[in-house]
Amino acid sequence: MDAAAAAERSAAESRLERCSHTAFIEDNTLYVWGGYKVVGGEDIVLPSDEIWLCDLYSGTWETRDINGDKPPDLSGSCGSYLNGTLYIFAGCDPVGYTNQMFSVDLTEQSYTWKKVTDAKGTTPSPRNKHSCWVHRDRLIYFGGYGCKTIGQVQNSTSASFVVDEMSWATIGDVLFRCWGWNNEVSVYEPHTAMWSTPETLGPAPAPRGCHASALIGNKGYISGGMETLALDMFCLDLDTWTWTQFDFSPSCSPLGRSMLTMTPTSDHTLFIYGGLGIDGNTLDDVWQLNTQKKEWKKLTHQHKDKPRVCHSACLGRDSDVVVFGGSSNMCLLMDSVAVLRAPSQNQCRDVFMFQTQPCSLFRLCEDLMAENSEVFEEQLTWLPSKLRNKIDKRVAFFSSTKPVLTA
């Protein structure tokens, strides 16, 4: 590889490093959008007019441009994938917190951003660090940190919005806006462009951001994002809008944490990985929750050298958990007034997987043929073209020590 090609590849790899991004898997392709990276000690929000695609068969990356009415540079936004369309809602832009929504149809040949301007109902207040469940063609948002007018705060219950007293804003002696955490549930239905706010029942989670969410059937789960000794877990029935809190013994539970991931791996199993512990450490532990028995189980795994925070973890084929990006060592600075995050150079760009169940025989055969393609050279020519193409991608994966990026 000549110097110019090496420099081009290095630049492309560097652009992949990111935290707090949006990621999802469709047809064994990992899509990655947005997030931020650290350059020269400063957080730099990554471009909103591009999206990265990783073919998980071959491990190769490509980037696609997105034209149109693109979102501003956003941090802490929430991305959701529904019926071929990526929706981006809220976040913090260079001006402040926003509650705008953008969408892009990823089934089209050319990708184009569209700003949602015709929404009906009451749009949730500006926020970031929130989460979303995708259920029955609806986007159901929970929580986050953001701003409200004093009138909105007065109309909120004390249990649904917690004011961050360090962030009160005034003009002279008049308070006009304040910032804080919420535990609101807001529903957006794309086919009607309608916002609604269901009235929930039961013990709701405390207001929070930087938590994890996951969906199993008609149940939405919320965990973390709070300074509690043990990791908490709440479940919202999306038919009756009733909250349930799980009770665990602290001695048998994961350490409390934020900026973690939670991935459903079966109809009764949640997979927890990493996060920033309440002890200030970036974690590398893996826990599994049986939602039927309400029991935690700590898992042993082969990635103990990969602590992660602000990463993504998507459900892949055969219930693999596919992890991408994040930071391997988030450093916190503390003084007598506040806790601040110190920008670090520990952003990651690797993709790795946790296998949560035995591989299928078909997958084992695929990989055996790909790893020994020279042995099966003649037999590979007998395969149907679609299967042969898949095997060829696996051959490329095994023949390369790291993903080949194309910019």
Side-chain angles (χ1 to χ4, degrees):
M1 182 182 297
D2 59 32
E8 183 178 354
R9 174 169 177 163
S10 177
E13 288 179 341
S14 177
R15 286 164 60 197
L16 269 173
E17 295 175 356
R18 63 191 65 208
C19 289
S20 300
H21 49 278
T22 290
F24 61 91
I25 292 176
E26 176 71 14
D27 194 24
N28 212 43
T29 297
L30 173 67
Y31 291 74
V32 175
W33 177 86
Y36 73 90
K37 65 177 297 184
V38 177
V39 178
E42 298 289 333
D43 286 358
I44 303 298
V45 177
L46 293 164
S48 61
D49 58 358
E50 67 178 22
I51 189 168
W52 288 83
L53 286 68
C54 179
D55 186 315
L56 295 177
Y57 288 115
S58 64
T60 56
W61 286 91
E62 66 170 318
T63 182
R64 298 278 302 275
D65 293 333
I66 313 178
N67 302 308
D69 190 358
K70 68 177 184 178
D73 294 339
L74 292 171
S75 64
S77 59
C78 183
S80 309
Y81 181 69
L82 170 62
N83 296 334
T85 297
L86 171 63
Y87 294 88
I88 300 296
F89 173 63
C92 193
D93 64 24
V95 177
Y97 291 89
T98 178
N99 59 355
Q100 295 178 335
M101 177 176 281
F102 297 82
S103 69
V104 53
D105 187 343
L106 300 178
T107 66
E108 296 180 347
Q109 189 68 29
S110 178
Y111 296 164
T112 304
W113 280 116
K114 296 178 181 178
K115 184 178 179 179
V116 177
T117 58
D118 59 348
K120 299 179 284 291
T122 302
T123 304
S125 58
R127 65 193 61 195
N128 71 352
K129 302 173 183 176
H130 48 302
S131 65
C132 180
W133 299 298
V134 178
H135 179 252
R136 292 181 184 167
D137 294 336
R138 301 172 297 174
L139 306 177
I140 305 174
Y141 295 95
F142 171 81
Y145 180 92
C147 58
K148 290 180 180 288
T149 65
I150 188 63
Q152 289 173 321
V153 173
Q154 290 173 340
N155 290 329
S156 302
T157 66
S158 59
S160 67
F161 187 81
V162 174
V163 173
D164 177 3
E165 294 188 5
M166 292 171 55
S167 298
W168 292 85
T170 61
I171 296 179
D173 296 327
V174 180
L175 175 71
F176 75 99
R177 183 163 289 189
C178 49
W179 280 256
W181 293 268
N182 74 80
N183 64 357
E184 298 163 353
V185 176
S186 303
V187 180
Y188 180 73
E189 300 185 50
H191 66 286
T192 60
M194 174 67 75
W195 282 103
S196 61
T197 305
E199 182 177 348
T200 62
L201 306 171
R208 64 187 67 199
C210 298
H211 52 278
S213 67
L215 180 75
I216 297 179
N218 67 336
K219 303 291 196 302
Y221 294 87
I222 293 292
S223 183
M226 298 291 293
E227 294 185 6
T228 55
L229 180 61
L231 190 63
D232 60 1
M233 183 68 67
F234 289 81
C235 173
L236 179 62
D237 187 310
L238 301 179
D239 291 329
T240 65
W241 303 110
T242 301
W243 285 106
T244 303
Q245 181 177 6
F246 287 19
D247 293 321
F248 304 111
S249 168
S251 62
C252 303
S253 301
L255 181 71
R257 65 194 68 194
S258 59
M259 295 173 276
L260 67 157
T261 53
M262 179 165 62
T263 311
T265 54
S266 77
D267 61 1
H268 63 275
T269 306
L270 294 170
F271 184 96
I272 306 289
Y273 173 58
L276 184 68
I278 59 169
D279 58 1
N281 292 320
T282 300
L283 304 174
D284 62 5
D285 55 343
V286 170
W287 292 78
Q288 181 176 279
L289 175 67
N290 185 312
T291 59
Q292 295 175 347
K293 298 180 179 179
K294 298 183 179 180
E295 293 178 351
W296 285 109
K297 179 181 180 181
K298 188 174 184 179
L299 304 181
T300 58
H301 63 92
Q302 73 274 33
H303 298 304
K304 297 295 289 184
D305 60 335
K306 296 181 183 295
R308 287 292 185 272
V309 63
C310 296
H311 54 292
S312 59
C314 305
L315 185 65
R317 63 171 182 159
D318 297 334
S319 296
D320 286 347
V321 176
V322 181
V323 176
F324 170 74
S327 173
S328 62
N329 184 20
M330 179 170 284
C331 180
L332 295 181
L333 302 178
M334 301 183 66
D335 60 26
S336 59
V337 178
V339 179
L340 303 173
R341 183 179 60 80
S344 65
Q345 301 290 344
N346 298 302
Q347 273 74 45
C348 305
R349 59 174 181 256
D350 55 339
V351 177
F352 58 95
M353 302 183 188
F354 292 94
Q355 182 181 330
T356 66
Q357 67 180 27
C359 287
S360 66
L361 179 59
F362 183 79
R363 184 171 176 179
L364 290 172
C365 290
E366 278 184 342
D367 287 352
L368 176 66
M369 296 181 73
E371 285 188 274
N372 301 276
S373 57
E374 69 285 350
V375 176
F376 296 103
E377 184 175 0
E378 180 181 354
Q379 288 82 355
L380 288 174
T381 64
W382 303 344
L383 297 176
S385 58
K386 186 175 181 179
L387 180 56
R388 174 63 189 271
N389 182 53
K390 187 185 298 185
I391 299 295
D392 286 344
K393 290 181 178 181
R394 295 303 289 162
V395 171
F397 175 84
F398 287 114
S399 64
S400 177
T401 57
K402 61 192 304 185
V404 178
L405 293 98
T406 58

